[in-house]
Amino acid sequence: MAKSKPEPEQKHITPGRVAFMDGRGELPMLEVITEWSTAGIYLHGAHVTHFKKKDEAPLLFLSQCSRFGQGEPIRGGIPIIFPLFGPREGLPQHGFARLKTWELKEFAPAPDGSVTVRFCLPDCPEASAFPPFTAEYIVTVNASLTLQLVVTNTSREETFNFENCLHTYLEVGDIVGVSISGLKGVSYLDKVSNFAQKVQTEDAIRIASEVDRIYLNTPGAVEVLDSRLGRKIRVEKHGSVSTVVWNPWVGKAQQMPDFGNEEYQRMLCVESGNVTSNLIRLPPGETSTLKVKLSSERQ
Ligand code: TA6
């Protein structure tokens, strides 16, 4: 009897996978694996610390000196800045969202191989300083990384005024070989010059000293060209009219205990949100969504 021909090997395309594990500081985290990329997300701050496409360098910078502990911000990745940006009497710098353990509500592999993970900010004492609200965070991992911060004002009468920002730390090959475009003609507050109001005149921003700028009334995308890594990163956004560009350079780097002295050479923050005069005034019952899509391509 003729030997039956072996069945052709079934090519297993495992839709996205999610693995739970103890991360640094034994903080619980998820690892998301798709056919294009891997990502790491801590429940602490619903903090995406890692995103890497198969054939590229990591997209996000994470400091080797970062702390990983209750009540401490993680230095790198994508901190969620909410409900305030910067310092505020009696509240933690940049708000409390990045310091809280978020609840994992759902993770859903999609037929196209993407994975979506949804988190919810639990109630906390600090929130009582604001009208009642809910905050959800949705992370979608595929060949790019998409983040959505969804805030609903659940009060009956009160307007909820807040700031939000996805404080993205991008990994770069060498900061002096980077140029940032998409902000020409936009007004900004220069924190390095005591918040002096200025206008972006050059086509592209180059970094050769401390830069800490809040660009206002700008809904457009930003592109980061990295000559050392031969990569272009695109930061697209919706529901955001502020863009913050930050590099601490030498001096500030030495002052930050959770940041390596030389690490300023390998990171650049391009942050998307609504801060200072662009803050959100959310009427009762309404919802605001801040959406950011990070994508990259080899040059
Ligand atoms: O977004 C830029 C900025 O506001 C800088 O002024 C700098 O303080 C940075 O954020 C980091 O803030 P952090 O509280 O994380 O040390």
Side-chain angles (χ1 to χ4, degrees), residues 73-76 79 81 85-87 92-94 98 165 167 169 191 195 210-214 244-248 252 256 258 269 271:
I74 294 172
R75 178 66 69 194
I81 307 302
F85 181 87
Q93 150 103 348
H94 284 337
R98 64 177 178 168
C165 191
H167 193 301
Y169 287 74
K191 192 173 172 184
F195 293 96
E210 181 187 357
V211 168
D212 196 349
R213 300 175 182 176
I214 301 172
V244 180
V245 175
W246 179 56
N247 183 285
K252 277 276 168 47
M256 292 194 290
D258 59 347
C269 284
E271 312 163 27

Side-chain angles (χ1 to χ4, degrees), residues 16-264:
R17 279 176 292 138
V18 175
F20 294 86
M21 59 188 71
D22 281 343
R24 289 165 66 175
E26 288 171 14
L27 293 175
M29 70 170 291
L30 290 84
E31 185 171 53
V32 177
I33 301 152
T34 76
E35 61 187 279
W36 307 274
S37 60
T38 56
I41 316 169
Y42 281 77
L43 272 64
H44 179 73
H47 202 124
V48 180
T49 53
H50 172 79
F51 177 74
K52 184 185 178 305
K53 286 166 66 176
K54 274 205 176 121
D55 58 354
E56 279 186 28
L59 190 70
L60 302 177
F61 163 86
L62 180 63
S63 172
Q64 292 300 309
C65 310
S66 178
R67 297 173 177 145
F68 285 82
Q70 296 304 340
E72 301 260 25
I74 294 172
R75 178 66 69 194
I78 308 177
I80 300 174
I81 307 302
F82 170 82
L84 57 102
F85 181 87
R88 176 86 60 86
E89 183 92 22
L91 283 164
Q93 150 103 348
H94 284 337
F96 49 80
R98 64 177 178 168
L99 307 176
K100 299 294 169 190
T101 301
W102 290 55
E103 289 161 4
L104 172 64
K105 285 295 179 190
E106 181 193 16
F107 62 90
D112 70 353
S114 307
V115 173
T116 296
V117 188
R118 195 162 58 86
F119 301 90
C120 184
L121 179 64
D123 203 4
C124 60
E126 296 89 335
S128 61
F130 301 89
F133 66 86
T134 60
E136 284 206 323
Y137 193 54
I138 302 153
V139 180
T140 301
V141 182
N142 43 38
S144 58
L145 180 68
T146 303
L147 316 133
Q148 297 177 73
L149 179 63
V150 183
V151 174
T152 299
N153 177 352
T154 56
S155 78
R156 286 175 191 284
E157 282 136 18
E158 278 183 275
T159 297
F160 180 18
N161 298 332
F162 66 91
E163 296 166 290
N164 58 12
C165 191
L166 297 183
H167 193 301
T168 306
Y169 287 74
L170 299 171
E171 173 100 10
V172 298
D174 182 351
I175 191 63
V176 295
V178 160
S179 75
I180 305 139
S181 57
L183 294 164
K184 185 171 183 183
V186 178
S187 299
Y188 65 93
L189 301 175
D190 186 353
K191 192 173 172 184
V192 178
S193 316
N194 200 19
F195 293 96
Q197 181 127 15
K198 301 181 180 176
V199 176
Q200 180 62 43
T201 48
E202 302 86 19
D203 287 342
I205 304 165
R206 311 286 304 210
I207 311 277
S209 62
E210 181 187 357
V211 168
D212 196 349
R213 300 175 182 176
I214 301 172
Y215 290 85
L216 298 168
N217 308 313
T218 176
V222 164
E223 289 194 339
V224 177
L225 208 51
D226 182 337
S227 59
R228 172 68 65 83
L229 291 180
R231 173 164 73 179
K232 181 164 72 176
I233 300 172
R234 188 170 164 77
V235 182
E236 285 169 86
K237 57 180 192 162
H238 301 277
S240 159
V241 290
S242 315
T243 291
V244 180
V245 175
W246 179 56
N247 183 285
W249 210 245
V250 181
K252 277 276 168 47
Q254 287 166 354
Q255 290 165 21
M256 292 194 290
D258 59 347
F259 189 82
N261 288 353
E262 307 307 319
E263 288 186 324
Y264 70 93

